[in-house]
Amino acid sequence: MERFLEKVALWLDKVRNAPVIGPVVEDLITMTQLLTDCARGIYEKLPRWTVFGLTAALVYAFSPIDLILDIIPFAGYLDDTAVIWLILELGLARDLMQYRDWKRLRLNEQIEAYRRQLAEEYREALGDRELAAAYLTEDLHIKLLLAAPGDTSRPLPCTTKRIPIDAERLEELELRNWEQIGEFFAQVFRDARFPWTRFGRQPFRPEYTTQVDDAFEIVD
């Protein structure tokens, strides 16, 4: 089943911009994701007849034997699209909507759990030091500036620690562009349990947007 769904995913990439069928590609992608989660036992809220209907729609759309050949411009995808719309009109559109809501909630829970995990890991990385600042670097590292506890010197003497970001995990959580990644890590460092220096809490931001020379003295 999963092997078939992987082939469907490749097919969807091919027809994403195809005439007629393009507008239903997002529904097809959701169908594929839904059936994959059902096959893995992750999503268990789908009736058997719904699983059958979705599978039948994907099998027909993916089948090389069509009532109208796909090589015929425009018309080639008419029968595929008609079958998909028929399946949705029979009530499966509601199942897709419920699945999308479930997936969005689950994704938000996973993002929050990962945020808490990283906050704990970064606090442990401080050791007995206080956090003076944290930055997102252009090569996708978190750069921590660490100061001696209680030090209020200006500029503040700091050592640095660079921690690589798990890009694959962020991709799994659909955090893909620079803005999404930056906002996620900003939430990580808003955790109230971080031991910030008395010098003051520095807002988390990309390193290239900061001017740190006057605020901190790097003593590595």
Side-chain angles (χ1 to χ4, degrees), residues 129-135 144-160 195-202 212-220:
R129 311 281 284 177
E130 292 180 340
L131 181 61
Y135 305 116
L144 305 176
L145 270 59
L146 313 179
D151 193 345
T152 57
S153 305
R154 288 178 182 265
L156 185 66
C158 294
T159 59
T160 62
W196 290 90
T197 66
R198 297 179 186 178
F199 182 78
R201 182 189 297 262
Q202 299 292 313
V212 301
D213 293 344
D214 294 336
F216 308 109
E217 177 185 3
I218 305 303
V219 296
D220 289 352

PDB file of all heavy atoms in Angstrom, residues 129-135 144-160 195-202 212-220:
ATOM      1  N   ARG A 129      26.690  28.946  33.048  1.00  0.00           N
ATOM      2  CA  ARG A 129      26.739  30.303  32.489  1.00  0.00           C
ATOM      3  C   ARG A 129      25.330  30.868  32.346  1.00  0.00           C
ATOM      4  O   ARG A 129      24.335  30.140  32.407  1.00  0.00           O
ATOM      5  CB  ARG A 129      27.428  30.281  31.122  1.00  0.00           C
ATOM      6  CG  ARG A 129      28.740  29.539  31.090  1.00  0.00           C
ATOM      7  CD  ARG A 129      29.871  30.364  31.648  1.00  0.00           C
ATOM      8  NE  ARG A 129      30.289  31.375  30.697  1.00  0.00           N
ATOM      9  CZ  ARG A 129      31.246  32.293  30.939  1.00  0.00           C
ATOM     10  NH1 ARG A 129      31.846  32.298  32.114  1.00  0.00           N
ATOM     11  NH2 ARG A 129      31.587  33.165  30.026  1.00  0.00           N
ATOM     12  N   GLU A 130      25.274  32.180  32.152  1.00  0.00           N
ATOM     13  CA  GLU A 130      24.004  32.843  31.865  1.00  0.00           C
ATOM     14  C   GLU A 130      23.936  33.175  30.378  1.00  0.00           C
ATOM     15  O   GLU A 130      24.962  33.341  29.717  1.00  0.00           O
ATOM     16  CB  GLU A 130      23.861  34.116  32.699  1.00  0.00           C
ATOM     17  CG  GLU A 130      23.699  33.853  34.180  1.00  0.00           C
ATOM     18  CD  GLU A 130      23.554  35.130  34.992  1.00  0.00           C
ATOM     19  OE1 GLU A 130      23.952  36.209  34.499  1.00  0.00           O
ATOM     20  OE2 GLU A 130      23.041  35.048  36.121  1.00  0.00           O
ATOM     21  N   LEU A 131      22.719  33.260  29.869  1.00  0.00           N
ATOM     22  CA  LEU A 131      22.522  33.534  28.448  1.00  0.00           C
ATOM     23  C   LEU A 131      22.454  35.041  28.213  1.00  0.00           C
ATOM     24  O   LEU A 131      21.611  35.732  28.776  1.00  0.00           O
ATOM     25  CB  LEU A 131      21.228  32.869  27.960  1.00  0.00           C
ATOM     26  CG  LEU A 131      20.898  33.035  26.482  1.00  0.00           C
ATOM     27  CD1 LEU A 131      22.000  32.417  25.609  1.00  0.00           C
ATOM     28  CD2 LEU A 131      19.551  32.398  26.156  1.00  0.00           C
ATOM     29  N   ALA A 132      23.386  35.523  27.378  1.00  0.00           N
ATOM     30  CA  ALA A 132      23.398  36.947  27.054  1.00  0.00           C
ATOM     31  C   ALA A 132      22.615  37.231  25.772  1.00  0.00           C
ATOM     32  O   ALA A 132      21.936  38.251  25.664  1.00  0.00           O
ATOM     33  CB  ALA A 132      24.832  37.438  26.899  1.00  0.00           C
ATOM     34  N   ALA A 133      22.694  36.318  24.800  1.00  0.00           N
ATOM     35  CA  ALA A 133      21.987  36.508  23.528  1.00  0.00           C
ATOM     36  C   ALA A 133      21.990  35.182  22.773  1.00  0.00           C
ATOM     37  O   ALA A 133      22.804  34.297  23.043  1.00  0.00           O
ATOM     38  CB  ALA A 133      22.636  37.601  22.693  1.00  0.00           C
ATOM     39  N   ALA A 134      21.071  35.059  21.831  1.00  0.00           N
ATOM     40  CA  ALA A 134      21.003  33.874  20.971  1.00  0.00           C
ATOM     41  C   ALA A 134      20.622  34.325  19.570  1.00  0.00           C
ATOM     42  O   ALA A 134      19.730  35.164  19.402  1.00  0.00           O
ATOM     43  CB  ALA A 134      19.980  32.879  21.507  1.00  0.00           C
ATOM     44  N   TYR A 135      21.300  33.785  18.583  1.00  0.00           N
ATOM     45  CA  TYR A 135      21.100  34.204  17.203  1.00  0.00           C
ATOM     46  C   TYR A 135      20.918  33.009  16.281  1.00  0.00           C
ATOM     47  O   TYR A 135      21.430  31.916  16.544  1.00  0.00           O
ATOM     48  CB  TYR A 135      22.305  35.018  16.705  1.00  0.00           C
ATOM     49  CG  TYR A 135      22.652  36.194  17.566  1.00  0.00           C
ATOM     50  CD1 TYR A 135      23.877  36.240  18.240  1.00  0.00           C
ATOM     51  CD2 TYR A 135      21.773  37.263  17.715  1.00  0.00           C
ATOM     52  CE1 TYR A 135      24.206  37.319  19.030  1.00  0.00           C
ATOM     53  CE2 TYR A 135      22.095  38.346  18.515  1.00  0.00           C
ATOM     54  CZ  TYR A 135      23.315  38.365  19.167  1.00  0.00           C
ATOM     55  OH  TYR A 135      23.635  39.433  19.964  1.00  0.00           O
ATOM     56  N   LEU A 144      24.893  30.821  20.682  1.00  0.00           N
ATOM     57  CA  LEU A 144      24.617  31.282  22.032  1.00  0.00           C
ATOM     58  C   LEU A 144      25.787  32.123  22.540  1.00  0.00           C
ATOM     59  O   LEU A 144      26.948  31.725  22.381  1.00  0.00           O
ATOM     60  CB  LEU A 144      24.401  30.091  22.974  1.00  0.00           C
ATOM     61  CG  LEU A 144      23.330  29.072  22.577  1.00  0.00           C
ATOM     62  CD1 LEU A 144      23.316  27.917  23.576  1.00  0.00           C
ATOM     63  CD2 LEU A 144      21.965  29.722  22.484  1.00  0.00           C
ATOM     64  N   LEU A 145      25.491  33.262  23.134  1.00  0.00           N
ATOM     65  CA  LEU A 145      26.487  34.076  23.808  1.00  0.00           C
ATOM     66  C   LEU A 145      26.325  33.875  25.305  1.00  0.00           C
ATOM     67  O   LEU A 145      25.257  34.153  25.861  1.00  0.00           O
ATOM     68  CB  LEU A 145      26.319  35.560  23.453  1.00  0.00           C
ATOM     69  CG  LEU A 145      27.102  36.050  22.215  1.00  0.00           C
ATOM     70  CD1 LEU A 145      26.714  35.274  20.979  1.00  0.00           C
ATOM     71  CD2 LEU A 145      26.897  37.542  22.006  1.00  0.00           C
ATOM     72  N   LEU A 146      27.388  33.387  25.956  1.00  0.00           N
ATOM     73  CA  LEU A 146      27.323  32.991  27.354  1.00  0.00           C
ATOM     74  C   LEU A 146      28.202  33.894  28.203  1.00  0.00           C
ATOM     75  O   LEU A 146      29.345  34.193  27.836  1.00  0.00           O
ATOM     76  CB  LEU A 146      27.775  31.531  27.500  1.00  0.00           C
ATOM     77  CG  LEU A 146      27.160  30.529  26.510  1.00  0.00           C
ATOM     78  CD1 LEU A 146      27.722  29.148  26.751  1.00  0.00           C
ATOM     79  CD2 LEU A 146      25.656  30.536  26.627  1.00  0.00           C
ATOM     80  N   ALA A 147      27.664  34.302  29.338  1.00  0.00           N
ATOM     81  CA  ALA A 147      28.382  35.218  30.229  1.00  0.00           C
ATOM     82  C   ALA A 147      28.473  34.632  31.628  1.00  0.00           C
ATOM     83  O   ALA A 147      27.680  33.753  32.005  1.00  0.00           O
ATOM     84  CB  ALA A 147      27.683  36.572  30.274  1.00  0.00           C
ATOM     85  N   ALA A 148      29.430  35.123  32.395  1.00  0.00           N
ATOM     86  CA  ALA A 148      29.576  34.681  33.780  1.00  0.00           C
ATOM     87  C   ALA A 148      28.371  35.147  34.590  1.00  0.00           C
ATOM     88  O   ALA A 148      27.853  36.254  34.381  1.00  0.00           O
ATOM     89  CB  ALA A 148      30.863  35.238  34.376  1.00  0.00           C
ATOM     90  N   PRO A 149      27.897  34.319  35.522  1.00  0.00           N
ATOM     91  CA  PRO A 149      26.729  34.707  36.331  1.00  0.00           C
ATOM     92  C   PRO A 149      26.955  36.018  37.082  1.00  0.00           C
ATOM     93  O   PRO A 149      27.996  36.229  37.698  1.00  0.00           O
ATOM     94  CB  PRO A 149      26.587  33.536  37.311  1.00  0.00           C
ATOM     95  CG  PRO A 149      27.257  32.386  36.634  1.00  0.00           C
ATOM     96  CD  PRO A 149      28.392  32.975  35.846  1.00  0.00           C
ATOM     97  N   GLY A 150      26.001  36.910  36.985  1.00  0.00           N
ATOM     98  CA  GLY A 150      26.049  38.165  37.734  1.00  0.00           C
ATOM     99  C   GLY A 150      26.876  39.260  37.100  1.00  0.00           C
ATOM    100  O   GLY A 150      26.906  40.383  37.616  1.00  0.00           O
ATOM    101  N   ASP A 151      27.565  38.984  35.995  1.00  0.00           N
ATOM    102  CA  ASP A 151      28.417  39.995  35.361  1.00  0.00           C
ATOM    103  C   ASP A 151      27.548  41.053  34.680  1.00  0.00           C
ATOM    104  O   ASP A 151      26.652  40.732  33.896  1.00  0.00           O
ATOM    105  CB  ASP A 151      29.339  39.330  34.339  1.00  0.00           C
ATOM    106  CG  ASP A 151      30.461  40.252  33.883  1.00  0.00           C
ATOM    107  OD1 ASP A 151      30.378  41.478  34.121  1.00  0.00           O
ATOM    108  OD2 ASP A 151      31.430  39.735  33.295  1.00  0.00           O
ATOM    109  N   THR A 152      27.817  42.324  34.995  1.00  0.00           N
ATOM    110  CA  THR A 152      27.053  43.424  34.374  1.00  0.00           C
ATOM    111  C   THR A 152      27.978  44.372  33.617  1.00  0.00           C
ATOM    112  O   THR A 152      27.632  45.535  33.392  1.00  0.00           O
ATOM    113  CB  THR A 152      26.269  44.201  35.448  1.00  0.00           C
ATOM    114  OG1 THR A 152      27.183  44.692  36.446  1.00  0.00           O
ATOM    115  CG2 THR A 152      25.217  43.332  36.099  1.00  0.00           C
ATOM    116  N   SER A 153      29.149  43.885  33.236  1.00  0.00           N
ATOM    117  CA  SER A 153      30.094  44.741  32.508  1.00  0.00           C
ATOM    118  C   SER A 153      29.514  45.171  31.168  1.00  0.00           C
ATOM    119  O   SER A 153      28.681  44.491  30.584  1.00  0.00           O
ATOM    120  CB  SER A 153      31.401  43.967  32.263  1.00  0.00           C
ATOM    121  OG  SER A 153      31.943  43.483  33.456  1.00  0.00           O
ATOM    122  N   ARG A 154      29.988  46.323  30.718  1.00  0.00           N
ATOM    123  CA  ARG A 154      29.612  46.807  29.392  1.00  0.00           C
ATOM    124  C   ARG A 154      30.869  47.265  28.668  1.00  0.00           C
ATOM    125  O   ARG A 154      31.530  48.188  29.149  1.00  0.00           O
ATOM    126  CB  ARG A 154      28.610  47.967  29.485  1.00  0.00           C
ATOM    127  CG  ARG A 154      27.222  47.524  29.926  1.00  0.00           C
ATOM    128  CD  ARG A 154      26.301  48.740  30.049  1.00  0.00           C
ATOM    129  NE  ARG A 154      24.987  48.361  30.502  1.00  0.00           N
ATOM    130  CZ  ARG A 154      23.947  48.116  29.690  1.00  0.00           C
ATOM    131  NH1 ARG A 154      24.101  48.227  28.401  1.00  0.00           N
ATOM    132  NH2 ARG A 154      22.783  47.770  30.172  1.00  0.00           N
ATOM    133  N   PRO A 155      31.250  46.651  27.561  1.00  0.00           N
ATOM    134  CA  PRO A 155      30.578  45.508  26.931  1.00  0.00           C
ATOM    135  C   PRO A 155      30.715  44.250  27.786  1.00  0.00           C
ATOM    136  O   PRO A 155      31.645  44.119  28.575  1.00  0.00           O
ATOM    137  CB  PRO A 155      31.302  45.360  25.608  1.00  0.00           C
ATOM    138  CG  PRO A 155      32.657  45.920  25.864  1.00  0.00           C
ATOM    139  CD  PRO A 155      32.452  47.048  26.826  1.00  0.00           C
ATOM    140  N   LEU A 156      29.783  43.347  27.591  1.00  0.00           N
ATOM    141  CA  LEU A 156      29.710  42.141  28.408  1.00  0.00           C
ATOM    142  C   LEU A 156      30.624  41.058  27.837  1.00  0.00           C
ATOM    143  O   LEU A 156      30.447  40.649  26.693  1.00  0.00           O
ATOM    144  CB  LEU A 156      28.269  41.639  28.453  1.00  0.00           C
ATOM    145  CG  LEU A 156      27.976  40.438  29.359  1.00  0.00           C
ATOM    146  CD1 LEU A 156      28.179  40.817  30.816  1.00  0.00           C
ATOM    147  CD2 LEU A 156      26.547  39.942  29.143  1.00  0.00           C
ATOM    148  N   PRO A 157      31.623  40.578  28.612  1.00  0.00           N
ATOM    149  CA  PRO A 157      32.488  39.495  28.115  1.00  0.00           C
ATOM    150  C   PRO A 157      31.676  38.210  27.921  1.00  0.00           C
ATOM    151  O   PRO A 157      30.968  37.783  28.827  1.00  0.00           O
ATOM    152  CB  PRO A 157      33.526  39.330  29.229  1.00  0.00           C
ATOM    153  CG  PRO A 157      33.440  40.583  30.042  1.00  0.00           C
ATOM    154  CD  PRO A 157      32.019  41.033  29.954  1.00  0.00           C
ATOM    155  N   CYS A 158      31.779  37.620  26.741  1.00  0.00           N
ATOM    156  CA  CYS A 158      30.984  36.421  26.434  1.00  0.00           C
ATOM    157  C   CYS A 158      31.830  35.381  25.711  1.00  0.00           C
ATOM    158  O   CYS A 158      32.706  35.718  24.914  1.00  0.00           O
ATOM    159  CB  CYS A 158      29.799  36.772  25.540  1.00  0.00           C
ATOM    160  SG  CYS A 158      28.562  37.836  26.306  1.00  0.00           S
ATOM    161  N   THR A 159      31.536  34.145  26.004  1.00  0.00           N
ATOM    162  CA  THR A 159      32.007  33.050  25.170  1.00  0.00           C
ATOM    163  C   THR A 159      30.849  32.646  24.252  1.00  0.00           C
ATOM    164  O   THR A 159      29.692  33.011  24.501  1.00  0.00           O
ATOM    165  CB  THR A 159      32.445  31.853  26.018  1.00  0.00           C
ATOM    166  OG1 THR A 159      31.338  31.413  26.822  1.00  0.00           O
ATOM    167  CG2 THR A 159      33.603  32.233  26.930  1.00  0.00           C
ATOM    168  N   THR A 160      31.159  31.919  23.205  1.00  0.00           N
ATOM    169  CA  THR A 160      30.110  31.534  22.260  1.00  0.00           C
ATOM    170  C   THR A 160      30.019  30.013  22.162  1.00  0.00           C
ATOM    171  O   THR A 160      30.985  29.291  22.387  1.00  0.00           O
ATOM    172  CB  THR A 160      30.376  32.107  20.856  1.00  0.00           C
ATOM    173  OG1 THR A 160      31.601  31.566  20.349  1.00  0.00           O
ATOM    174  CG2 THR A 160      30.453  33.620  20.900  1.00  0.00           C
ATOM    175  N   PRO A 195      18.117  31.277  32.017  1.00  0.00           N
ATOM    176  CA  PRO A 195      18.803  32.184  32.950  1.00  0.00           C
ATOM    177  C   PRO A 195      19.492  33.324  32.202  1.00  0.00           C
ATOM    178  O   PRO A 195      20.684  33.269  31.897  1.00  0.00           O
ATOM    179  CB  PRO A 195      19.828  31.256  33.625  1.00  0.00           C
ATOM    180  CG  PRO A 195      20.163  30.246  32.574  1.00  0.00           C
ATOM    181  CD  PRO A 195      18.897  30.034  31.777  1.00  0.00           C
ATOM    182  N   TRP A 196      18.765  34.376  31.922  1.00  0.00           N
ATOM    183  CA  TRP A 196      19.333  35.506  31.189  1.00  0.00           C
ATOM    184  C   TRP A 196      20.228  36.331  32.112  1.00  0.00           C
ATOM    185  O   TRP A 196      20.019  36.399  33.319  1.00  0.00           O
ATOM    186  CB  TRP A 196      18.219  36.385  30.634  1.00  0.00           C
ATOM    187  CG  TRP A 196      17.463  35.731  29.508  1.00  0.00           C
ATOM    188  CD1 TRP A 196      16.357  34.951  29.617  1.00  0.00           C
ATOM    189  CD2 TRP A 196      17.780  35.785  28.114  1.00  0.00           C
ATOM    190  NE1 TRP A 196      15.948  34.515  28.382  1.00  0.00           N
ATOM    191  CE2 TRP A 196      16.797  35.007  27.437  1.00  0.00           C
ATOM    192  CE3 TRP A 196      18.781  36.414  27.379  1.00  0.00           C
ATOM    193  CZ2 TRP A 196      16.804  34.855  26.055  1.00  0.00           C
ATOM    194  CZ3 TRP A 196      18.779  36.254  25.993  1.00  0.00           C
ATOM    195  CH2 TRP A 196      17.806  35.479  25.345  1.00  0.00           C
ATOM    196  N   THR A 197      21.197  36.998  31.519  1.00  0.00           N
ATOM    197  CA  THR A 197      22.093  37.850  32.302  1.00  0.00           C
ATOM    198  C   THR A 197      21.349  39.083  32.799  1.00  0.00           C
ATOM    199  O   THR A 197      20.310  39.473  32.272  1.00  0.00           O
ATOM    200  CB  THR A 197      23.282  38.315  31.442  1.00  0.00           C
ATOM    201  OG1 THR A 197      22.786  39.174  30.398  1.00  0.00           O
ATOM    202  CG2 THR A 197      24.008  37.139  30.817  1.00  0.00           C
ATOM    203  N   ARG A 198      21.921  39.716  33.807  1.00  0.00           N
ATOM    204  CA  ARG A 198      21.359  40.971  34.307  1.00  0.00           C
ATOM    205  C   ARG A 198      21.516  42.104  33.301  1.00  0.00           C
ATOM    206  O   ARG A 198      20.887  43.146  33.420  1.00  0.00           O
ATOM    207  CB  ARG A 198      22.045  41.353  35.622  1.00  0.00           C
ATOM    208  CG  ARG A 198      21.824  40.345  36.744  1.00  0.00           C
ATOM    209  CD  ARG A 198      22.539  40.759  38.012  1.00  0.00           C
ATOM    210  NE  ARG A 198      22.446  39.716  39.031  1.00  0.00           N
ATOM    211  CZ  ARG A 198      23.019  39.783  40.226  1.00  0.00           C
ATOM    212  NH1 ARG A 198      23.749  40.843  40.545  1.00  0.00           N
ATOM    213  NH2 ARG A 198      22.890  38.805  41.086  1.00  0.00           N
ATOM    214  N   PHE A 199      22.399  41.868  32.331  1.00  0.00           N
ATOM    215  CA  PHE A 199      22.588  42.832  31.256  1.00  0.00           C
ATOM    216  C   PHE A 199      21.282  43.059  30.501  1.00  0.00           C
ATOM    217  O   PHE A 199      21.054  44.117  29.933  1.00  0.00           O
ATOM    218  CB  PHE A 199      23.668  42.305  30.310  1.00  0.00           C
ATOM    219  CG  PHE A 199      23.999  43.213  29.166  1.00  0.00           C
ATOM    220  CD1 PHE A 199      24.801  44.325  29.354  1.00  0.00           C
ATOM    221  CD2 PHE A 199      23.501  42.961  27.899  1.00  0.00           C
ATOM    222  CE1 PHE A 199      25.112  45.163  28.293  1.00  0.00           C
ATOM    223  CE2 PHE A 199      23.798  43.792  26.840  1.00  0.00           C
ATOM    224  CZ  PHE A 199      24.613  44.904  27.038  1.00  0.00           C
ATOM    225  N   GLY A 200      20.413  42.041  30.541  1.00  0.00           N
ATOM    226  CA  GLY A 200      19.116  42.204  29.884  1.00  0.00           C
ATOM    227  C   GLY A 200      18.852  41.134  28.849  1.00  0.00           C
ATOM    228  O   GLY A 200      19.769  40.593  28.246  1.00  0.00           O
ATOM    229  N   ARG A 201      17.608  40.823  28.676  1.00  0.00           N
ATOM    230  CA  ARG A 201      17.187  39.813  27.698  1.00  0.00           C
ATOM    231  C   ARG A 201      17.275  40.402  26.292  1.00  0.00           C
ATOM    232  O   ARG A 201      16.673  41.436  25.993  1.00  0.00           O
ATOM    233  CB  ARG A 201      15.753  39.378  28.002  1.00  0.00           C
ATOM    234  CG  ARG A 201      15.225  38.289  27.063  1.00  0.00           C
ATOM    235  CD  ARG A 201      13.749  38.090  27.305  1.00  0.00           C
ATOM    236  NE  ARG A 201      13.523  37.617  28.655  1.00  0.00           N
ATOM    237  CZ  ARG A 201      13.340  36.346  28.982  1.00  0.00           C
ATOM    238  NH1 ARG A 201      13.354  35.421  28.042  1.00  0.00           N
ATOM    239  NH2 ARG A 201      13.134  35.984  30.221  1.00  0.00           N
ATOM    240  N   GLN A 202      18.007  39.728  25.421  1.00  0.00           N
ATOM    241  CA  GLN A 202      18.124  40.163  24.036  1.00  0.00           C
ATOM    242  C   GLN A 202      17.131  39.390  23.174  1.00  0.00           C
ATOM    243  O   GLN A 202      17.076  38.159  23.259  1.00  0.00           O
ATOM    244  CB  GLN A 202      19.551  39.916  23.523  1.00  0.00           C
ATOM    245  CG  GLN A 202      20.622  40.662  24.286  1.00  0.00           C
ATOM    246  CD  GLN A 202      20.516  42.146  24.067  1.00  0.00           C
ATOM    247  OE1 GLN A 202      20.379  42.618  22.940  1.00  0.00           O
ATOM    248  NE2 GLN A 202      20.565  42.888  25.153  1.00  0.00           N
ATOM    249  N   VAL A 212      26.274  43.524  17.392  1.00  0.00           N
ATOM    250  CA  VAL A 212      26.599  43.033  18.731  1.00  0.00           C
ATOM    251  C   VAL A 212      27.922  43.567  19.260  1.00  0.00           C
ATOM    252  O   VAL A 212      28.226  43.404  20.434  1.00  0.00           O
ATOM    253  CB  VAL A 212      26.643  41.486  18.740  1.00  0.00           C
ATOM    254  CG1 VAL A 212      25.314  40.911  18.320  1.00  0.00           C
ATOM    255  CG2 VAL A 212      27.753  40.973  17.832  1.00  0.00           C
ATOM    256  N   ASP A 213      28.727  44.221  18.420  1.00  0.00           N
ATOM    257  CA  ASP A 213      30.063  44.610  18.837  1.00  0.00           C
ATOM    258  C   ASP A 213      30.050  45.536  20.047  1.00  0.00           C
ATOM    259  O   ASP A 213      30.883  45.412  20.948  1.00  0.00           O
ATOM    260  CB  ASP A 213      30.803  45.286  17.675  1.00  0.00           C
ATOM    261  CG  ASP A 213      31.092  44.314  16.540  1.00  0.00           C
ATOM    262  OD1 ASP A 213      30.999  43.106  16.776  1.00  0.00           O
ATOM    263  OD2 ASP A 213      31.411  44.785  15.441  1.00  0.00           O
ATOM    264  N   ASP A 214      29.124  46.484  20.086  1.00  0.00           N
ATOM    265  CA  ASP A 214      29.075  47.442  21.181  1.00  0.00           C
ATOM    266  C   ASP A 214      28.496  46.842  22.457  1.00  0.00           C
ATOM    267  O   ASP A 214      28.771  47.318  23.558  1.00  0.00           O
ATOM    268  CB  ASP A 214      28.245  48.672  20.782  1.00  0.00           C
ATOM    269  CG  ASP A 214      28.900  49.462  19.671  1.00  0.00           C
ATOM    270  OD1 ASP A 214      30.127  49.348  19.536  1.00  0.00           O
ATOM    271  OD2 ASP A 214      28.182  50.174  18.958  1.00  0.00           O
ATOM    272  N   ALA A 215      27.683  45.795  22.310  1.00  0.00           N
ATOM    273  CA  ALA A 215      27.006  45.210  23.484  1.00  0.00           C
ATOM    274  C   ALA A 215      27.843  44.129  24.141  1.00  0.00           C
ATOM    275  O   ALA A 215      27.822  43.998  25.372  1.00  0.00           O
ATOM    276  CB  ALA A 215      25.645  44.659  23.074  1.00  0.00           C
ATOM    277  N   PHE A 216      28.567  43.344  23.341  1.00  0.00           N
ATOM    278  CA  PHE A 216      29.269  42.185  23.875  1.00  0.00           C
ATOM    279  C   PHE A 216      30.733  42.167  23.438  1.00  0.00           C
ATOM    280  O   PHE A 216      31.069  42.619  22.344  1.00  0.00           O
ATOM    281  CB  PHE A 216      28.584  40.885  23.412  1.00  0.00           C
ATOM    282  CG  PHE A 216      27.113  40.853  23.672  1.00  0.00           C
ATOM    283  CD1 PHE A 216      26.215  40.946  22.629  1.00  0.00           C
ATOM    284  CD2 PHE A 216      26.621  40.731  24.967  1.00  0.00           C
ATOM    285  CE1 PHE A 216      24.841  40.916  22.866  1.00  0.00           C
ATOM    286  CE2 PHE A 216      25.270  40.713  25.211  1.00  0.00           C
ATOM    287  CZ  PHE A 216      24.372  40.798  24.163  1.00  0.00           C
ATOM    288  N   GLU A 217      31.545  41.617  24.275  1.00  0.00           N
ATOM    289  CA  GLU A 217      32.960  41.403  23.958  1.00  0.00           C
ATOM    290  C   GLU A 217      33.192  39.892  23.902  1.00  0.00           C
ATOM    291  O   GLU A 217      33.086  39.201  24.931  1.00  0.00           O
ATOM    292  CB  GLU A 217      33.864  42.035  25.016  1.00  0.00           C
ATOM    293  CG  GLU A 217      35.342  41.788  24.767  1.00  0.00           C
ATOM    294  CD  GLU A 217      36.211  42.307  25.893  1.00  0.00           C
ATOM    295  OE1 GLU A 217      35.641  42.800  26.892  1.00  0.00           O
ATOM    296  OE2 GLU A 217      37.433  42.178  25.806  1.00  0.00           O
ATOM    297  N   ILE A 218      33.486  39.377  22.713  1.00  0.00           N
ATOM    298  CA  ILE A 218      33.677  37.935  22.555  1.00  0.00           C
ATOM    299  C   ILE A 218      35.098  37.593  23.037  1.00  0.00           C
ATOM    300  O   ILE A 218      36.084  38.143  22.544  1.00  0.00           O
ATOM    301  CB  ILE A 218      33.497  37.519  21.089  1.00  0.00           C
ATOM    302  CG1 ILE A 218      32.124  38.005  20.581  1.00  0.00           C
ATOM    303  CG2 ILE A 218      33.612  36.010  20.963  1.00  0.00           C
ATOM    304  CD1 ILE A 218      30.959  37.507  21.375  1.00  0.00           C
ATOM    305  N   VAL A 219      35.181  36.684  23.994  1.00  0.00           N
ATOM    306  CA  VAL A 219      36.457  36.383  24.647  1.00  0.00           C
ATOM    307  C   VAL A 219      36.885  34.940  24.420  1.00  0.00           C
ATOM    308  O   VAL A 219      37.696  34.396  25.157  1.00  0.00           O
ATOM    309  CB  VAL A 219      36.388  36.685  26.168  1.00  0.00           C
ATOM    310  CG1 VAL A 219      36.176  38.148  26.416  1.00  0.00           C
ATOM    311  CG2 VAL A 219      35.278  35.865  26.834  1.00  0.00           C
ATOM    312  N   ASP A 220      36.322  34.275  23.394  1.00  0.00           N
ATOM    313  CA  ASP A 220      36.712  32.887  23.107  1.00  0.00           C
ATOM    314  C   ASP A 220      38.208  32.814  22.813  1.00  0.00           C
ATOM    315  O   ASP A 220      38.763  33.696  22.171  1.00  0.00           O
ATOM    316  CB  ASP A 220      35.925  32.372  21.896  1.00  0.00           C
ATOM    317  CG  ASP A 220      34.451  32.160  22.265  1.00  0.00           C
ATOM    318  OD1 ASP A 220      34.131  32.265  23.443  1.00  0.00           O
ATOM    319  OD2 ASP A 220      33.661  31.908  21.340  1.00  0.00           O
TER     320      ASP A 220
END
